[in-house]
Amino acid sequence: SPRTGVESSPDIELLSEKSACIDCGISYPEINPQLFSFNNPQGACPECSGLGHKMFFDPELIVPNKNLSLREGAIHCWSPKAQTYTIELLECLAKHYHFDIYTPFKKLPEKIRQILLQGSGEERIKFSYEGRSGRHTVETPFEGVIPQLYRRWKETESDWVREDLERFMNMRPCPVCRGARLKKEALFVKITEKNIAELSALSIKSALDYFEKLSLSEKDRKIAERILKEIKDRLHFLNDVGLGYLTLERNSGTLSGGEDQRIRLATQIGSALTGVLYVLDEPSIGLHQRDNDRLLDTMKKLRNLGNTVLVVEHDHDTIMAADHIIDLGPGAGIHGGHLVAEGPPEAILQNEQSLTGQYLSGKKKIAIPRSRRKPDGKWITIKGAKEHNLKNIDVSIPLKLFIGITGVSGSGKSTLVNETLYRGLMQRLYHSKELAGQMEDMLGTEHIDKVINIDQSPIGRTPRSNPATYTGVFTFIRDLFTQLPESKTRGYAPGRFSFNVKGGRCEACEGDGILKIEMHFLPDVYVECEVCRGQRFNRETLEITYKGANIADVLSMTVEKAFGFFQNIPSIRNKLQTLIDVGMGYIELGQSATTLSGGEAQRIKLSRELSHRATGRTLTILDEPTTGLHFADVQKLLDVLKRLVDQGNTVVVIEHNLDVIKCADYLIDLGPEGGEAGGHIVAEGTPEELVKANNSHTGRYLKTVLQT
């Protein structure tokens, strides 16, 4: 044999202790679980260390505005300081390849654009330039913008230069593993032509179908029987709680709170424990009405096993499915904390004191708008959106309207709005380096000048952040205290009334009001500062009072109380009014940001946006803003969104709540299912038009709401 050097003979049989192929010479390591883990060096792709992606210079960031010509600076990364040399270089290229540097970049031939970005290869070009010792002429290949950037990025020892160059970089799949994150040896191991990366890329529902239909020999079936049972059981649990659209490889950091909670709920069903008290906080978050029934069945299974299921919820169907309801209120914050009603759903419906009961019984309801705004001819159009499960769709969003993006869970709503629309606008309006979802083009962006994504992330990650500082009202309050006669006499500046800088704050706790005691092997303990007693300021600062209240007293006021207290100060009153408008009158001005829920943080962000002067050309995006909201609060939210649209702005909301959907001017319904079966536009138009679409799950549920 040429490979082994041993003469072939029927009497000679080659044997090996290694897992190797004698034909191609590939040798395999021992097959063990670590080989299939990208978190283990034994299995991780050596090129990307198991991350699945690498940094690369992105042509979209290098040439952010393709309408500009080379002469106008289309290549964004070339330094203005080298303008003369750059122009001479481009003129030499233009002369060699016969193109015009005054032509918009997007109108240049594809070959020329590739040469500019990637270089001329072996082809030599005559360059003439002015140097210190006179004019020089050289013949050399053109390096190209991207190879030049790579060279500088690798050679530099300056962190500042590296950071500056990384403005033009983005992530892309690893060229070796193509995003699979594993070594090629792991990917060569297959079950019926699918390797572990291909299986992980399946949705939970698709994976369940795959393992249900898996055909094995009698011997293999016997070996895999117990493993397959465990796999199918777990996939069944996840599918039953409405998560069938999630892929197995989905990054846990991209899961919503509701999805994360339902995954843990599925785990508990599999454990089959009894005598357990389960506490769930709004498990219906992010769930379409069609999938809600399956979630309710899951919770009933837990109950029927002999467990107690305690659910904090605002969803109509979940409340009505409960065996016993405890209704707290009657209001929020200081207006709440009382037991308003309890008992089976029927008892709550008949209780006149229960605001929840009034909405459940229909005595109170969110009204359908008498008329809907109509498109005025200005649209933002996304052409060929194909990120994740979007099926190369063209989506047109009318401006100056209240737009609802609907569809079952996993149909592609967040991909379309957050990853494609928002990031695409951020790139075009603010030159953001964050990669937008795949699409061919985005048209109509000249009709807006500002885009805002009001999400549920915290308004601050430390106790120092609070609603007063975030909304900017604290600046006006400090200015007011500075203008008081006693402050002027003492020479106090606005910084005196800030707990973030030295001067007026308590230095024992550095303005925190609390002290952290490190317990080493136990969690840290926080205790009230003994010097200021939690007031954050020193004695001299607290001596300055306005209408009998010092700065610490003001921070401890609720928004409603402060609104009355500062009634005669328009700059403060107007800011507080926007917080009341979004239903946040019950929170304290100085309440720590870390104690606010995601829904509360989102509404505080919304109030700050309301307080800004409207340009009439703003596009505001909200992802499920009804999370954590009672029926009465949903009405307040709709009133606020109506105000934004009435000012000429565009509001785009991803939502499952039918009360919000029925109030939209225009709906875009995605689906028809989740995961791979989604990503299509099922229907679009007014709510009345949507209910006529036979294959729209949203339209089917919406029909009952519009008829009431």
Side-chain angles (χ1 to χ4, degrees):
S1 166
R3 180 174 291 279
T4 60
V6 179
E7 291 184 17
S8 59
S9 166
D11 299 328
I12 297 176
E13 184 178 358
L14 292 175
L15 301 173
S16 174
E17 293 180 342
K18 300 185 181 298
S19 303
C21 174
I22 60 169
D23 293 323
C24 62
I26 292 178
S27 177
Y28 279 85
E30 182 185 351
I31 306 296
N32 57 31
Q34 287 75 28
L35 181 65
F36 302 101
S37 171
F38 47 75
N39 290 319
N40 191 296
Q42 196 172 331
C45 167
E47 179 70 17
C48 63
S49 302
L51 294 174
H53 55 255
K54 292 196 74 176
M55 295 281 282
F56 77 108
F57 282 100
D58 188 350
E60 294 294 325
L61 298 176
I62 292 169
V63 189
N65 187 351
K66 294 179 176 58
N67 292 313
L68 297 178
S69 67
L70 295 171
R71 186 66 179 83
E72 292 170 322
I75 298 177
H76 193 52
C77 59
W78 275 349
S79 171
K81 293 180 181 177
Q83 185 71 12
T84 304
Y85 171 77
T86 302
I87 297 302
E88 289 183 339
L89 176 74
L90 290 172
E91 285 175 342
C92 293
L93 277 172
K95 184 177 179 181
H96 184 87
Y97 288 109
H98 309 292
F99 69 89
D100 189 352
I101 65 172
Y102 290 91
T103 301
F105 188 85
K106 68 179 182 181
K107 293 185 178 179
L108 290 173
E110 177 62 25
K111 178 188 174 184
I112 301 301
R113 284 185 284 175
Q114 283 300 310
I115 289 170
L116 285 165
L117 292 173
Q118 303 294 346
S120 62
E122 298 297 320
E123 186 176 356
R124 303 174 79 84
I125 299 159
K126 184 182 287 187
F127 291 106
S128 178
Y129 63 94
E130 192 69 39
R132 290 181 180 178
S133 57
R135 194 143 196 92
H136 300 273
T137 300
V138 294
E139 282 195 29
T140 181
F142 175 61
E143 185 177 23
V145 179
I146 291 177
Q148 181 194 71
L149 291 173
Y150 267 119
R151 177 173 52 77
R152 289 177 59 200
W153 186 62
K154 289 176 180 177
E155 291 176 357
T156 185
E157 295 182 1
S158 167
D159 291 338
W160 183 89
V161 172
R162 185 177 290 270
E163 189 175 320
D164 184 60
L165 291 173
E166 286 176 357
R167 291 185 298 127
F168 308 104
M169 300 185 84
N170 247 321
M171 293 289 187
R172 72 172 174 189
C174 168
V176 174
C177 68
R178 300 187 183 280
R181 310 172 80 172
L182 293 164
K183 287 180 177 176
K184 62 180 181 180
E185 289 85 354
L187 299 175
F188 285 149
V189 180
K190 297 184 178 182
I191 302 173
T192 62
E193 301 306 313
K194 283 191 182 293
N195 61 39
I196 190 168
E198 291 167 335
L199 278 174
S200 299
L202 294 175
S203 67
I204 288 168
K205 189 175 186 308
S206 299
L208 181 58
D209 292 340
Y210 172 83
F211 284 109
E212 291 280 13
K213 297 172 182 175
L214 187 62
S215 178
L216 298 174
S217 66
E218 184 63 28
K219 176 187 174 185
D220 290 344
R221 188 181 60 77
K222 199 76 174 171
I223 294 169
E225 189 173 15
R226 291 180 64 182
I227 297 172
L228 285 173
K229 180 183 181 301
E230 292 295 329
I231 291 172
K232 287 189 281 191
D233 284 350
R234 282 162 170 74
L235 291 173
H236 265 298
F237 297 145
L238 290 166
N239 194 47
D240 288 345
V241 294
L243 295 172
Y245 61 91
L246 292 180
T247 57
L248 294 170
E249 65 179 359
R250 180 76 171 264
N251 189 319
S252 60
T254 65
L255 296 172
S256 70
E259 288 169 336
D260 181 56
Q261 189 170 218
R262 293 202 296 279
I263 287 172
R264 285 184 277 132
L265 179 62
T267 307
Q268 290 301 316
I269 299 167
S271 66
L273 295 172
T274 61
V276 177
L277 170 64
Y278 290 104
V279 180
L280 292 92
D281 190 357
E282 295 199 72
S284 67
I285 293 172
L287 208 55
H288 191 270
Q289 286 75 19
R290 188 200 63 170
D291 302 314
N292 213 19
D293 293 339
R294 290 158 70 189
L295 176 65
L296 291 174
D297 289 341
T298 300
M299 291 192 287
K300 287 174 183 175
K301 281 182 190 174
L302 282 175
R303 176 199 62 188
N304 295 340
L305 284 170
N307 302 301
T308 303
V309 182
L310 184 63
V311 182
V312 180
E313 191 56 271
H314 295 102
D315 176 69
H316 178 280
D317 293 342
T318 307
I319 296 171
M320 294 304 292
D323 300 312
H324 189 87
I325 299 171
I326 298 172
D327 188 37
L328 299 177
I334 60 170
H335 306 301
H338 300 281
L339 180 62
V340 176
E342 66 172 321
E346 299 76 28
I348 306 299
L349 293 176
Q350 296 168 9
N351 192 312
E352 294 292 332
Q353 305 300 315
S354 171
L355 189 60
T356 305
Q358 291 179 46
Y359 275 97
L360 291 174
S361 65
K363 292 176 184 175
K364 283 193 173 185
K365 59 184 178 181
I366 295 171
I368 299 169
R370 292 181 181 177
S371 63
R372 303 189 191 277
R373 303 173 190 85
K374 300 189 185 311
D376 67 351
K378 292 180 180 178
W379 304 69
I380 286 181
T381 302
I382 299 169
K383 306 283 283 185
K386 46 184 177 283
E387 184 72 10
H388 297 320
N389 68 336
L390 296 180
K391 304 297 190 297
N392 199 24
I393 55 175
D394 295 342
V395 184
S396 294
I397 299 169
L399 299 179
K400 300 189 177 183
L401 300 184
F402 176 21
I403 316 295
I405 309 296
T406 61
V408 298
S409 306
S411 58
K413 301 183 298 297
S414 294
T415 301
L416 174 65
V417 177
N418 294 330
E419 296 187 38
T420 307
L421 174 64
Y422 175 65
R423 291 184 185 175
L425 288 173
M426 288 294 288
Q427 282 186 344
R428 286 156 177 79
L429 297 179
Y430 306 110
H431 304 303
S432 167
K433 66 175 285 186
E434 198 166 9
L435 192 63
Q438 292 182 63
M439 59 179 153
E440 291 173 11
D441 202 359
M442 184 181 287
L443 310 174
T445 56
E446 68 275 8
H447 299 311
I448 62 169
D449 59 10
K450 187 177 180 183
V451 60
I452 302 162
N453 190 359
I454 302 178
D455 58 18
Q456 296 199 2
S457 60
I459 61 172
R461 301 192 179 276
T462 69
R464 290 182 180 275
S465 301
N466 58 51
T469 55
Y470 185 82
T471 59
V473 71
F474 196 43
T475 300
F476 295 108
I477 292 172
R478 289 190 291 118
D479 288 342
L480 173 64
F481 272 83
T482 306
Q483 296 302 316
L484 296 173
E486 183 65 20
S487 291
K488 288 185 175 182
T489 303
R490 299 187 183 191
Y492 288 169
R496 182 80 196 191
F497 301 97
S498 170
F499 47 75
N500 287 320
V501 295
K502 290 182 178 180
R505 71 182 184 184
C506 168
E507 288 304 325
C509 61
E510 295 185 341
D512 280 336
I514 53 175
L515 294 171
K516 183 172 79 171
I517 310 297
E518 293 186 5
M519 302 297 287
H520 301 294
F521 299 108
L522 295 172
D524 295 335
V525 174
Y526 292 89
V527 297
E528 186 182 86
C529 174
E530 294 182 353
V531 177
C532 68
R533 298 294 178 188
Q535 292 186 303
R536 298 181 163 203
F537 297 93
N538 58 33
R539 180 175 55 81
E540 291 80 7
T541 306
L542 296 174
E543 286 174 352
I544 308 298
T545 61
Y546 171 71
K547 292 167 64 173
N550 60 36
I551 192 73
D553 296 330
V554 169
L555 286 173
S556 64
M557 290 180 184
T558 63
V559 171
E560 287 175 347
K561 184 177 179 181
F563 180 77
F565 187 76
F566 294 109
Q567 186 66 40
N568 298 322
I569 315 293
S571 58
I572 299 175
R573 184 189 65 226
N574 294 341
K575 291 258 184 198
L576 296 175
Q577 180 66 61
T578 58
L579 281 167
I580 293 172
D581 289 344
V582 296
M584 299 301 293
Y586 62 90
I587 61 169
E588 293 182 358
L589 289 178
Q591 187 170 332
S592 170
T594 57
T595 65
L596 297 169
S597 70
E600 287 172 332
Q602 188 174 37
R603 281 179 285 158
I604 289 172
K605 293 176 185 179
L606 192 56
S607 76
R608 185 168 77 165
E609 188 53 37
L610 274 176
S611 67
H612 293 159
R613 183 171 295 174
T615 64
R617 299 179 63 198
T618 300
L619 189 144
T620 303
I621 294 169
L622 297 99
D623 193 346
E624 295 198 66
T626 59
T627 299
L629 294 193
H630 187 271
F631 305 106
D633 294 320
V634 172
Q635 180 65 69
K636 291 179 181 177
L637 173 71
L638 286 169
D639 291 340
V640 168
L641 297 182
K642 181 179 180 296
R643 274 177 58 187
L644 280 173
V645 180
D646 287 343
Q647 292 169 349
N649 301 306
T650 306
V651 174
V652 178
V653 176
I654 302 171
E655 193 53 85
H656 292 293
N657 187 298
L658 292 173
D659 284 324
V660 174
I661 294 171
K662 74 181 184 185
C663 293
D665 298 314
Y666 192 90
L667 297 174
I668 298 172
D669 191 46
L670 298 182
E673 302 296 332
E676 272 308 304
H680 299 278
I681 295 180
V682 176
E684 53 188 326
T686 63
E688 288 77 15
E689 291 170 334
L690 196 72
V691 299
K692 296 175 184 176
N694 295 327
N695 58 342
S696 170
H697 293 297
T698 305
R700 192 170 72 252
Y701 286 92
L702 187 58
K703 185 181 294 184
T704 59
V705 177
L706 290 178
Q707 289 171 349
T708 56

